Amino acid sequence: MKIIEKNGIMAAGTVTIDGLFIIQEVIVRLIKQNDGTEKPVIFLPRRKTGEMGWKDVFEVSSEMKKEIDLAVGKSIKDALCRDNYAPNLDVSVIIYVKKDLLGYATLTYENAITIKDIQIYKADNEYGIRLLYPSYKGDKDEKWHSLIDIGGYLFDDVICRKVSEAYEEKLKNYPDFAKRHFSKTRQQRGKSI
């Protein structure tokens, strides 16, 4: 996959299935969700059939669709790093466990801006964590308002990966602690968190 980020397309490329079929012109678009966030959605190619409009060329089982989604997601992450889209971030982590809270992260971008007090929570995802950026509770509406947002799904994923790696590195100093506080599933996948 190649990162494009124009005309609503985030990435485009090919998908090879078992070395047998090469599907051309697979695109990934960011689709706005009801909660205002954007989610990447993979579209397999279709062709125009005259007056009948557009017709799907592929029928894919749900299992194969999941495999394609995972492979395309990994390819996009690799392209993000390869094409130097990964921001120059220094990450520091403090371990502080309280219920699902695992600790705090500080991000420094280009030695120019530092974001402090990013909460690290336990999550059942690829990295085993999710991040909660600094926010405040409104006086009138009692809702939480974010003080900082990340510029898109890809950068959010890169930051989550970097924080996860920093957290895992920090845990190497506390092996007994890691065994007590992290799920067996995560440990079985070879991760310390």
Side-chain angles (χ1 to χ4, degrees):
M1 300 302 288
K2 180 161 178 55
I3 306 297
I4 295 176
E5 296 190 271
K6 77 181 203 188
N7 297 333
I9 298 174
M10 181 175 90
T14 61
V15 172
T16 303
I17 299 175
D18 294 333
L20 183 61
F21 298 109
I22 300 172
I23 303 171
Q24 305 286 340
E25 298 185 31
V26 176
I27 62 170
V28 180
R29 291 184 183 274
L30 287 174
I31 305 296
K32 192 162 269 208
Q33 305 297 297
N34 292 336
D35 63 0
T37 61
E38 292 181 326
K39 177 183 175 188
V41 177
I42 299 165
F43 292 91
L44 297 176
R46 301 173 352 153
R47 70 180 171 148
K48 193 159 185 150
T49 57
E51 294 177 15
M52 300 294 287
W54 291 90
K55 182 178 180 180
D56 289 332
V57 178
F58 302 97
E59 287 186 16
V60 180
S61 70
S62 59
E63 293 84 22
M64 180 59 73
K65 178 73 167 100
K66 286 178 189 174
E67 287 185 43
I68 290 172
D69 289 351
L70 287 172
V72 168
K74 182 182 180 327
S75 179
I76 288 173
K77 290 175 197 173
D78 292 346
L80 182 69
C81 294
R82 182 182 63 242
D83 294 344
N84 296 321
Y85 278 78
N88 181 13
L89 290 173
D90 290 322
V91 179
S92 64
V93 170
I94 297 172
I95 296 174
Y96 176 85
V97 176
K98 186 176 182 182
K99 292 187 181 180
D100 285 342
L101 178 66
L102 301 176
Y104 294 90
T106 299
L107 301 177
T108 302
Y109 174 66
E110 297 282 342
N111 292 322
I113 185 169
T114 299
I115 304 165
K116 301 178 181 179
D117 298 327
I118 300 168
Q119 297 175 1
I120 306 168
Y121 282 93
K122 192 183 298 189
D124 185 26
N125 62 22
E126 171 181 7
Y127 301 114
I129 64 168
R130 70 179 172 85
L131 303 177
L132 182 63
Y133 294 93
S135 58
Y136 71 95
K137 193 170 188 177
D139 293 333
K140 295 179 182 176
D141 60 6
E142 294 291 314
K143 292 182 181 177
W144 286 95
H145 302 276
S146 179
L147 293 172
I148 187 164
D149 287 317
I150 302 304
Y153 167 79
L154 293 174
F155 291 119
D156 190 47
D157 190 76
V158 167
I159 291 169
C160 195
R161 176 178 46 82
K162 286 183 174 243
V163 170
S164 177
E165 289 168 357
Y167 199 89
E168 288 181 18
E169 190 63 33
K170 188 81 154 187
L171 279 178
K172 288 180 182 177
N173 299 323
Y174 309 98
D176 292 336
F177 175 83
K179 281 184 186 175
R180 285 195 313 268
H181 290 295
F182 302 107
S183 72
K184 289 179 184 174
T185 305
R186 188 71 177 162
Q187 291 173 20
Q188 288 169 356
R189 284 189 274 176
K191 302 279 185 179
S192 54
I193 63 171

mmCIF file of all heavy atoms in Angstrom, residues 60 81 100 117-118 120 122 136 156 167 177 186-187 189:
data_model
loop_
_atom_site.group_PDB
_atom_site.id
_atom_site.type_symbol
_atom_site.label_atom_id
_atom_site.label_comp_id
_atom_site.label_asym_id
_atom_site.label_seq_id
_atom_site.Cartn_x
_atom_site.Cartn_y
_atom_site.Cartn_z
ATOM 1 N N VAL A 60 -16.050 -11.865 -1.239
ATOM 2 C CA VAL A 60 -15.037 -12.288 -0.286
ATOM 3 C C VAL A 60 -15.717 -12.767 0.982
ATOM 4 O O VAL A 60 -16.593 -12.080 1.510
ATOM 5 C CB VAL A 60 -14.077 -11.108 0.029
ATOM 6 C CG1 VAL A 60 -13.015 -11.516 1.008
ATOM 7 C CG2 VAL A 60 -13.449 -10.578 -1.247
ATOM 8 N N CYS A 81 5.768 4.330 8.215
ATOM 9 C CA CYS A 81 7.134 4.434 8.746
ATOM 10 C C CYS A 81 8.152 4.554 7.612
ATOM 11 O O CYS A 81 9.063 5.367 7.682
ATOM 12 C CB CYS A 81 7.456 3.225 9.615
ATOM 13 S SG CYS A 81 6.446 3.172 11.102
ATOM 14 N N ASP A 100 -7.682 0.090 35.576
ATOM 15 C CA ASP A 100 -7.224 -0.088 34.189
ATOM 16 C C ASP A 100 -6.152 0.917 33.774
ATOM 17 O O ASP A 100 -5.602 0.816 32.687
ATOM 18 C CB ASP A 100 -8.406 0.005 33.216
ATOM 19 C CG ASP A 100 -9.270 -1.251 33.246
ATOM 20 O OD1 ASP A 100 -8.780 -2.288 33.730
ATOM 21 O OD2 ASP A 100 -10.425 -1.187 32.797
ATOM 22 N N ASP A 117 1.124 14.181 30.688
ATOM 23 C CA ASP A 117 -0.045 13.580 31.347
ATOM 24 C C ASP A 117 -0.980 12.837 30.389
ATOM 25 O O ASP A 117 -2.200 12.907 30.518
ATOM 26 C CB ASP A 117 -0.843 14.631 32.125
ATOM 27 C CG ASP A 117 -0.017 15.259 33.231
ATOM 28 O OD1 ASP A 117 0.833 14.546 33.800
ATOM 29 O OD2 ASP A 117 -0.213 16.451 33.527
ATOM 30 N N ILE A 118 -0.418 12.130 29.430
ATOM 31 C CA ILE A 118 -1.227 11.267 28.573
ATOM 32 C C ILE A 118 -1.441 9.969 29.336
ATOM 33 O O ILE A 118 -0.491 9.285 29.696
ATOM 34 C CB ILE A 118 -0.515 10.992 27.236
ATOM 35 C CG1 ILE A 118 -0.265 12.312 26.499
ATOM 36 C CG2 ILE A 118 -1.327 10.025 26.379
ATOM 37 C CD1 ILE A 118 0.678 12.190 25.330
ATOM 38 N N ILE A 120 -2.306 6.179 30.083
ATOM 39 C CA ILE A 120 -2.175 4.899 29.378
ATOM 40 C C ILE A 120 -3.121 3.917 30.060
ATOM 41 O O ILE A 120 -2.976 3.642 31.257
ATOM 42 C CB ILE A 120 -0.733 4.364 29.443
ATOM 43 C CG1 ILE A 120 0.268 5.404 28.937
ATOM 44 C CG2 ILE A 120 -0.618 3.058 28.657
ATOM 45 C CD1 ILE A 120 1.715 5.059 29.243
ATOM 46 N N LYS A 122 -5.197 0.047 29.958
ATOM 47 C CA LYS A 122 -5.202 -1.311 29.439
ATOM 48 C C LYS A 122 -6.311 -1.429 28.400
ATOM 49 O O LYS A 122 -7.405 -0.891 28.576
ATOM 50 C CB LYS A 122 -5.472 -2.285 30.591
ATOM 51 C CG LYS A 122 -5.219 -3.733 30.265
ATOM 52 C CD LYS A 122 -5.575 -4.648 31.429
ATOM 53 C CE LYS A 122 -4.735 -4.372 32.640
ATOM 54 N NZ LYS A 122 -4.896 -5.371 33.704
ATOM 55 N N TYR A 136 -10.440 18.364 29.859
ATOM 56 C CA TYR A 136 -11.014 19.029 31.031
ATOM 57 C C TYR A 136 -12.521 18.853 31.014
ATOM 58 O O TYR A 136 -13.128 18.622 29.970
ATOM 59 C CB TYR A 136 -10.641 20.518 31.057
ATOM 60 C CG TYR A 136 -11.341 21.330 29.987
ATOM 61 C CD1 TYR A 136 -12.521 22.019 30.261
ATOM 62 C CD2 TYR A 136 -10.829 21.407 28.703
ATOM 63 C CE1 TYR A 136 -13.167 22.734 29.279
ATOM 64 C CE2 TYR A 136 -11.462 22.128 27.712
ATOM 65 C CZ TYR A 136 -12.638 22.797 28.015
ATOM 66 O OH TYR A 136 -13.289 23.506 27.037
ATOM 67 N N ASP A 156 -2.284 8.457 15.075
ATOM 68 C CA ASP A 156 -2.722 7.914 16.363
ATOM 69 C C ASP A 156 -2.145 6.518 16.565
ATOM 70 O O ASP A 156 -1.657 6.171 17.639
ATOM 71 C CB ASP A 156 -4.251 7.884 16.424
ATOM 72 C CG ASP A 156 -4.761 7.556 17.810
ATOM 73 O OD1 ASP A 156 -4.268 8.161 18.782
ATOM 74 O OD2 ASP A 156 -5.649 6.699 17.916
ATOM 75 N N TYR A 167 6.607 1.597 26.998
ATOM 76 C CA TYR A 167 6.058 0.981 28.209
ATOM 77 C C TYR A 167 6.649 -0.418 28.403
ATOM 78 O O TYR A 167 7.054 -0.785 29.510
ATOM 79 C CB TYR A 167 4.532 0.920 28.123
ATOM 80 C CG TYR A 167 3.879 0.732 29.472
ATOM 81 C CD1 TYR A 167 3.546 1.835 30.249
ATOM 82 C CD2 TYR A 167 3.616 -0.530 29.970
ATOM 83 C CE1 TYR A 167 2.958 1.682 31.489
ATOM 84 C CE2 TYR A 167 3.032 -0.697 31.218
ATOM 85 C CZ TYR A 167 2.699 0.412 31.969
ATOM 86 O OH TYR A 167 2.126 0.249 33.201
ATOM 87 N N PHE A 177 6.301 -7.485 38.354
ATOM 88 C CA PHE A 177 5.187 -6.562 38.238
ATOM 89 C C PHE A 177 4.388 -6.840 36.958
ATOM 90 O O PHE A 177 3.174 -6.891 36.967
ATOM 91 C CB PHE A 177 5.729 -5.129 38.222
ATOM 92 C CG PHE A 177 4.687 -4.084 37.992
ATOM 93 C CD1 PHE A 177 3.915 -3.617 39.027
ATOM 94 C CD2 PHE A 177 4.488 -3.565 36.721
ATOM 95 C CE1 PHE A 177 2.959 -2.649 38.813
ATOM 96 C CE2 PHE A 177 3.536 -2.600 36.498
ATOM 97 C CZ PHE A 177 2.771 -2.131 37.546
ATOM 98 N N ARG A 186 -2.146 -11.469 26.528
ATOM 99 C CA ARG A 186 -1.093 -10.563 26.091
ATOM 100 C C ARG A 186 0.276 -11.213 26.266
ATOM 101 O O ARG A 186 1.137 -11.108 25.408
ATOM 102 C CB ARG A 186 -1.184 -9.262 26.904
ATOM 103 C CG ARG A 186 -0.268 -8.178 26.418
ATOM 104 C CD ARG A 186 -0.732 -7.622 25.103
ATOM 105 N NE ARG A 186 0.149 -6.540 24.712
ATOM 106 C CZ ARG A 186 0.237 -6.065 23.505
ATOM 107 N NH1 ARG A 186 -0.497 -6.563 22.551
ATOM 108 N NH2 ARG A 186 1.053 -5.100 23.224
ATOM 109 N N GLN A 187 0.467 -11.930 27.386
ATOM 110 C CA GLN A 187 1.738 -12.591 27.628
ATOM 111 C C GLN A 187 1.974 -13.708 26.623
ATOM 112 O O GLN A 187 3.083 -13.925 26.161
ATOM 113 C CB GLN A 187 1.796 -13.131 29.050
ATOM 114 C CG GLN A 187 1.866 -12.020 30.092
ATOM 115 C CD GLN A 187 1.747 -12.565 31.495
ATOM 116 O OE1 GLN A 187 1.975 -13.736 31.744
ATOM 117 N NE2 GLN A 187 1.390 -11.687 32.428
ATOM 118 N N ARG A 189 1.056 -13.776 23.592
ATOM 119 C CA ARG A 189 1.423 -13.209 22.301
ATOM 120 C C ARG A 189 2.860 -12.705 22.306
ATOM 121 O O ARG A 189 3.300 -12.078 21.368
ATOM 122 C CB ARG A 189 0.488 -12.045 21.951
ATOM 123 C CG ARG A 189 -0.886 -12.517 21.490
ATOM 124 C CD ARG A 189 -1.662 -11.372 20.962
ATOM 125 N NE ARG A 189 -2.342 -10.708 22.075
ATOM 126 C CZ ARG A 189 -3.056 -9.610 21.967
ATOM 127 N NH1 ARG A 189 -3.193 -9.025 20.820
ATOM 128 N NH2 ARG A 189 -3.656 -9.082 22.992
#
